[in-house]
Amino acid sequence: MTERPRIEVTIAAPIDEVWRALREKDRIRHWHGWDAPGLDDEIDLIYFQGFAEDAQARTLGVQEGDHIVLEPAGEGTKVTLTRAPRGVSPEWDAYYDDITEGWATFLQQLRFHVERQPDAPRRTAFFAGTTAGAPPLVTELGLDEVATRPAGSAYRATLAGQHVGGEVWFRSSHQLGLTVDAWGEGLLVVAFMPPGEQKPDGAAMAVLSTFGLDEAAYAELNERWAAWWGPRYPAPAEPIPGTEA
């Protein structure tokens, strides 16, 4: 039997607080996905339709068998998500790895929400594109050295023309997360997949979570990133699966 992928995140907050962030729609909007017209419908579909919840045990089963468990970890909470087996939903098997990477992003955004921005509304910018013939996204952003530092390390960098600082939030095989002071202590998550057999065009993604920016500052950020992103990682002919949130 193929081993089911597991994603583990430890959050510096009591288990009851993390559970509320998983079960209250207004809180889920602060960390799941990114701003898009279909976000509320997606939240309802994943977390409140066809789910299996044991509130006392702090476990939650969602969408075709993905299983989330919360456990005390010292003064914090360990969140473990175990993916459903391949074959449970054959029509989604082609996107199995994309969904796994999506969960890795969302759980880190959950941790950031609970630990850093539990009350502030977020506003996001989202970019996705293909990678054929393009350098790795971390390299193109000038973050190769930053990406070697352990989580919690301070950094300074220039992101799409803006001088910023913060700390390394997380690093995985295909993703890098950084807090960004200039975005109201926001969060940047970037992901990069080179072209391969299942993804002939590859895939790149960036989620920019911002807090407290006024309309002019948010518009400037979005426009600057769009101008930087488009020539490097052009949009695919069809939407990249998992980027519709």
Side-chain angles (χ1 to χ4, degrees):
M1 179 182 294
T2 303
E3 185 176 353
R4 296 163 59 181
R6 291 163 58 95
I7 303 164
E8 294 184 357
V9 173
T10 298
I11 300 175
I15 194 168
D16 289 347
E17 185 176 340
V18 179
W19 182 252
R20 285 195 298 272
L22 272 172
R23 302 310 298 138
E24 297 178 10
K25 288 185 181 181
D26 287 345
R27 292 176 180 265
I28 296 172
R29 285 195 100 264
H30 288 296
W31 59 265
H32 179 89
W34 44 84
D35 297 328
L39 179 59
D40 288 334
D41 290 341
E42 178 172 303
I43 288 171
D44 190 63
L45 176 65
I46 293 175
Y47 299 98
F48 299 99
Q49 294 183 29
F51 65 95
E53 173 188 301
D54 186 333
Q56 185 173 1
R58 296 294 194 255
T59 65
L60 179 67
V62 296
Q63 62 169 17
E64 308 292 349
D66 292 342
H67 191 63
I68 303 170
V69 177
L70 274 57
E71 302 171 280
E75 296 182 355
T77 303
K78 183 172 77 170
V79 181
T80 303
L81 184 142
T82 304
R83 289 297 326 280
R86 293 180 187 268
V88 170
S89 182
E91 65 272 23
W92 283 102
D93 273 3
Y95 313 126
Y96 190 91
D97 293 339
D98 300 276
I99 295 170
T100 301
E101 290 294 324
W103 274 123
T105 300
F106 297 163
L107 291 187
Q108 289 293 344
Q109 292 180 170
L110 167 64
R111 180 168 76 94
F112 183 82
H113 159 65
V114 173
E115 292 186 3
R116 298 295 178 89
Q117 296 284 8
D119 301 313
R122 69 170 181 165
R123 193 171 189 184
T124 61
F126 174 76
F127 303 93
T130 58
T131 65
L137 179 53
V138 168
T139 299
E140 191 69 0
L141 285 168
L143 297 173
D144 278 336
E145 191 276 329
V146 172
T148 66
R149 303 179 190 177
S153 300
Y155 79 93
R156 301 294 301 177
T158 301
L159 298 177
Q162 182 182 28
H163 301 296
V164 302
E167 69 180 63
V168 178
W169 189 247
F170 77 99
R171 183 74 167 108
S172 67
S173 298
H174 301 292
Q175 299 190 36
L176 173 67
L178 304 173
T179 70
V180 182
D181 52 8
W183 303 346
E185 194 184 17
L187 179 68
L188 170 68
V189 178
V190 295
F192 182 91
M193 293 287 291
E197 183 177 348
Q198 293 198 354
K199 282 186 173 299
D201 296 324
M205 179 199 76
V207 186
L208 289 62
S209 295
T210 73
F211 300 85
L213 299 188
D214 61 25
E215 287 293 332
Y218 173 78
E220 189 279 331
L221 177 69
N222 204 355
E223 290 168 6
R224 179 162 39 78
W225 269 77
W228 184 92
W229 186 275
R232 294 169 170 83
Y233 305 103
E238 297 182 2
I240 298 171
T243 64
E244 299 87 353

